[in-house]
Amino acid sequence: MSSRTDTDTGTDTGFGPAEAGGRHATTGAHPAKALPTGPGPTDAPPTGPRPTDPLPTGAHATAARTGEAITTSALHAAATGADTFPGVLREALNRRGLSLERVSERLRGRGIAISQATLSSWQRGRSQPERARSLRAVEVLEEILELPAGALRSLLGPRRPRGRTTPAGDEGAALQILGEDSVVEKALGARFRHFNQETSSLVVHDVVTIGESGTLSGISTTNVLRAGQAGADRVIFVLSFDDEAAEPVDIRVTCGRLVDATYLKSLKSLVLEIHFGRELAKLDTTVVSYAVDVSPSETPATHYERWSRTNLHEYLQQVFFHPGALPSDCHRYVREKVGAPPRAQRRIPLSDTHNVHVLTSRCKPGVHGVAWEYGQGTGGPARTGGTGTTGGTDGTGDRPG
């Protein structure tokens, strides 16, 4: 099987993984429950002041804050059937019998200053929360109004362009690498245009682990991000798998706080949203680290790629093989875009600790991969083909396979 990760200063999936932005940074592992699979694509939440679209029914999301599996239909039902942010907010305020003055006071008591005028504008649909502080207020409003986590946040539409923001250019850079109608675009939906636009990746380190049967066992990534503007507080990563039998069974975040994890079975893609733990000032840096264990697959992995739509200061890619599944040959390669012929191919040696690595400084946008094959009599698994996995974040992507 193969996998890939995109990053693009805001997401980790073929984007150059699609770049992603981040959230709460904490010490220690944050395990997530095994994720149920969903039948259809869904929009992954964007980074920073992020636009969020509701998840389609059937796409399962795991909210780290509550540990619950939630769906859009369940959220809407809990919110009395309203299907817009202003409508859900108005209904919840009426149900709780709270005045805007009282809500503003309770928000202020939690350290969030949101005026009555702003709240009124939100419930009338004249404006929507977009800045990091406002998005945090929405999360607290869900608690105050006794709504399920994400009931309001999931209903926010795409962020409205301001000033010199040029999302179209960011989208164009991603399309140059990923192509039209990519799995990343399908997974993120309307948020594809804006996601992770407030941060960029500086350094990415991917570690891919291949099990005894030659199939993908796990992926771990450490991403050093820098804020392009003040207020960034989260990042999105998209990991895509070539083999539908390979599904995420455990997620651990060791730097950052896992907020949402959604596996889209029809797209064979995992969307992660990770909070930095604070709002970044402009040019501030933060580190996000996560690991994903994968269920056993029937098809051996033959490659791993990272898709990047932006420049990286440094990219380190490592692949560790089980002693019982050692490859006969390994090589690195680069593609100008997804689906393009590989170029700059070069053999890389297998170390005595059964791993290979590629270190690239001033890593340019494109697809950066490692591929391997098993020869007869090498002790590796017999195979007739291979699959891959792609993960995304901050404009770059990884794809083990």
Side-chain angles (χ1 to χ4, degrees):
M1 95 171 262
S2 66
S3 72
R4 58 187 173 277
T5 298
D6 303 333
T7 66
D8 197 312
T9 311
T11 178
D12 207 0
T13 180
F15 237 116
E19 296 170 342
R23 293 193 171 190
H24 191 145
T26 58
T27 303
H30 188 133
K33 294 182 179 180
L35 300 178
T37 57
T42 186
D43 291 335
T47 61
R50 60 181 190 176
T52 46
D53 297 333
L55 299 174
T57 302
H60 294 261
T62 296
R65 266 197 305 154
T66 63
E68 296 182 80
I70 58 176
T71 63
T72 301
S73 57
L75 291 177
H76 290 179
T80 69
D83 58 0
T84 66
F85 177 84
V88 171
L89 180 58
R90 286 195 305 270
E91 178 63 29
L93 286 168
N94 291 335
R95 178 172 52 82
R96 292 280 290 135
L98 293 175
S99 66
L100 296 183
E101 180 181 10
R102 179 58 178 153
V103 172
S104 180
E105 290 175 355
R106 294 186 66 172
L107 286 171
R108 194 177 304 112
R110 299 283 291 273
I112 304 173
I114 300 293
S115 68
Q116 295 179 52
T118 297
L119 291 172
S120 177
S121 181
W122 289 354
Q123 73 166 343
R124 294 174 182 273
R126 294 177 178 174
S127 66
Q128 70 175 27
E130 292 181 346
R131 298 183 182 278
R133 182 185 62 182
S134 297
L135 294 174
R136 172 57 184 154
V138 172
E139 295 175 349
V140 176
L141 274 173
E142 291 168 355
E143 299 174 12
I144 294 174
L145 300 176
E146 298 180 355
L147 292 171
L152 289 173
R153 184 82 183 248
S154 66
L155 298 174
L156 293 175
R159 187 179 183 183
R160 300 168 185 176
R162 292 178 177 171
R164 297 186 179 182
T165 302
T166 56
D170 293 339
E171 181 184 23
L175 291 174
Q176 286 183 10
I177 302 300
L178 300 175
E180 297 284 349
D181 202 29
S182 68
V183 66
V184 179
E185 185 173 2
K186 290 177 180 178
L188 297 179
R191 286 166 285 195
F192 173 77
R193 186 178 184 185
H194 301 275
F195 86 108
N196 298 334
Q197 67 179 19
E198 293 164 341
T199 59
S200 59
S201 291
L202 300 179
V203 178
V204 177
H205 180 195
D206 290 320
V207 177
V208 181
T209 304
I210 305 300
E212 185 174 7
S213 62
T215 61
L216 178 67
S217 175
I219 304 169
S220 65
T221 293
T222 297
N223 198 317
V224 182
L225 298 146
R226 181 168 62 192
Q229 55 186 281
D233 68 345
R234 67 198 65 206
V235 66
I236 292 175
F237 301 92
V238 180
L239 293 83
S240 299
F241 305 89
D242 286 349
D243 188 351
E244 64 182 8
E247 297 182 0
V249 294
D250 188 41
I251 301 167
R252 300 175 303 281
V253 175
T254 51
C255 276
R257 175 169 58 86
L258 180 63
V259 176
D260 288 297
T262 304
Y263 181 65
L264 307 172
K265 186 175 180 63
S266 65
L267 295 177
K268 295 177 287 188
S269 297
L270 172 66
V271 180
L272 301 176
E273 181 181 354
I274 299 175
H275 198 283
F276 300 142
R278 65 186 179 96
E279 292 184 10
L280 304 181
K282 186 175 182 179
L283 302 183
D284 265 2
T285 59
T286 191
V287 178
V288 172
S289 296
Y290 66 88
V292 178
D293 292 339
V294 180
S295 61
S297 170
E298 296 181 358
T299 307
T302 57
H303 65 277
Y304 180 82
E305 293 179 347
R306 172 162 287 270
W307 301 338
S308 177
R309 66 181 177 186
T310 61
N311 292 306
L312 294 174
H313 287 196
E314 192 168 83
Y315 175 48
L316 174 60
Q317 190 175 46
Q318 288 182 285
V319 182
F320 285 82
F321 298 93
H322 189 280
L326 299 179
S328 60
D329 181 70
C330 299
H331 65 272
R332 61 182 297 182
Y333 61 90
V334 177
R335 303 181 195 271
E336 291 184 358
K337 60 182 180 180
V338 173
R343 58 179 177 81
Q345 299 185 64
R346 192 177 73 194
R347 294 188 66 181
I348 49 179
L350 184 68
S351 75
D352 57 5
T353 54
H354 312 141
N355 74 88
V356 296
H357 81 275
V358 175
L359 176 64
T360 305
S361 298
R362 298 179 181 177
C363 187
K364 295 182 179 180
V367 178
H368 303 269
V370 171
W372 54 91
E373 52 189 51
Y374 297 87
Q376 297 297 323
T378 62
R383 65 190 65 204
T384 57
T387 59
T389 301
T390 301
T393 179
D394 246 36
T396 63
D398 305 330
R399 173 175 187 161

